[in-house]
Amino acid sequence: MKIAIIGTGYVGLVTGACLAELGNRVTCVDNNSEKIQTLNSGTIPIFEPDLEEIVKRNVNAKRLFFSIDLPASIRENDVIFIAVGTPSKENGEADLSFVEGVARKIAQHSQNPKIVVEKSTVPVETGRRLQALLTSHNGNKTRFEVVSNPEFLREGSAIHDFLHPERVVIGTNSESARAKMQELYGPLNSPIIFTDINSAELIKHASNSFLALKISYANAIANICELTGADVEEVTYGMGLDSRIGKQFLRAGIGFGGSCFPKDVDAFIRIAKQKGYSFGLLEEVQRINAFQRKHFFEKIKKRLGSLKGKSLAVLGLAFKPNTDDLRHAPSLDLVPWLQKEGALVRVFDPVAMNPARLKFDSLPNVQFCADEFEAMNLADAVLILTEWQQFKELDWEKANAVLKKALIFDGRNLFVPNRMKQLGFEYISVGRDAL
Ligand code: UGA
């Protein structure tokens, strides 16, 4: 199949590479010529395990191409995926101007029928709007079949998630588009759900918001644990064994971040409001998520007293491990808060140092360290903000020797408290210490 993917961000690039891997001829298009040049020279602009290898393999096999020529890519392909960004507007609504801009171009440059696949996360009813926009801007010259095909991949395991999905969701009212999508995704041997466009769009928002809700629920339980002396790890383990609840996304900590959950929960609340439903449940999810960061910060201040002149080693800046993505990461709040209180903040992340420099370079008293041990050297406390495997496996005895104080604030509950105690640490985590 000949496919154009418009937008080579996370979703677009992974989708393009994986569809090429399945044997299709894919052109990934972007209006950022620097990015396209970088990709054409074999460099991947984001950190994502296995992506580079799969891109290289498919470029060499002449199945994957990168281009800035949008009109030609539209003309030459029959299936066109829209994977451009849908950032949040000031009021939390999704900004659809990029999606609509691309749709206008598709309408303008299409000379034969096209299947237009909405891959970006969009509010319910966007597909319907796209269909009208495509038709009106093309003067009814050609036929467009709109498909909603939401993406469920996670950063850090994006390739695996794309190639081994638990479900593929296809929303369309066209029989021929349905057959084309079956042909495209059939080789994955995963369940394919065919539904209408509105339902497909809602499946995406409802799923992300439900996962965010699970996390906030676990975090609320963690706060009750702190007030009662219970251990949130024990509680969520006990809950998760019930298959009706499930173990995943019950990890308490300093809350969710990333480019999806915060934005999608916000957008879902707005959509509901516009339609006349007040989604108070999701507003509480946001409130709990914001509280987790503040509460962690307050614990640090409470234990250390004044932070003025204290040296704090911050381990982990990315919003989660295996990515260099800092969007909505807890570090974006915590590092400036600590620095404003007069602390010397010595930060380290295994892969997110470059994006972190862009964010924190202008802040006084933030130092970028080459590794964990440099960050911890003579520190008054260690703060773990991201659950990188290498922090789990760190030689904590060696760490204890370089620290000024053997004090750890663990925002991700990486360790068993008793083990850390045995190693000589005062260990403060989430939902496991009575206040
Ligand atoms: C999320 C969804 O998991 C994907 O299915 C979806 O496709 C994607 O959004 C999207 O809409 O594009 P992602 O944002 O990459 O994927 O990351 P997750 O692994 O879901 O983690 C999100 C946040 O939740 C992270 O900050 C993570 O630390 C936090 N989290 C996750 C917890 O605090 N506790 C948990 O138990 C699980």
Side-chain angles (χ1 to χ4, degrees), residues 10-11 121 150-157 161 167 204 207-208 211-212 214-215 218-219 247-262 264 289 293 318-321 327-330 385-387 412:
Y10 230 103
V11 170
T121 299
E151 187 45 65
F152 300 101
L153 57 83
R154 291 161 298 176
E155 291 187 22
S157 55
D161 291 348
R167 83 296 206 190
K204 170 71 187 194
S207 301
N208 269 9
L211 292 171
K214 272 189 100 175
I215 298 168
N219 282 328
K247 290 181 208 155
Q248 295 193 56
F249 283 74
L250 280 183
R251 266 190 354 260
I254 42 178
F256 56 79
S259 63
C260 305
F261 287 177
D264 289 359
N289 200 51
R293 297 177 186 191
F319 83 94
K320 68 172 192 175
R327 284 176 287 180
H328 295 277
L385 304 191
T386 316
E387 63 274 38
R412 299 296 181 179

Side-chain angles (χ1 to χ4, degrees), residues 275-288:
K275 290 283 159 192
Y277 181 72
S278 166
F279 215 148
L281 181 64
L282 288 185
E283 281 165 3
E284 189 59 15
V285 167
Q286 290 182 316
R287 200 192 61 74
I288 294 168

Side-chain angles (χ1 to χ4, degrees), residues 58 218 224 262 361 399:
N58 285 284
I224 307 264
D361 226 4

Side-chain angles (χ1 to χ4, degrees), residues 19 80 109 172 196 259 278 322 330 377:
L19 290 179
I80 301 174
H109 296 286
T172 183
D196 60 280
S259 63
S278 166
N322 297 326
N377 195 30

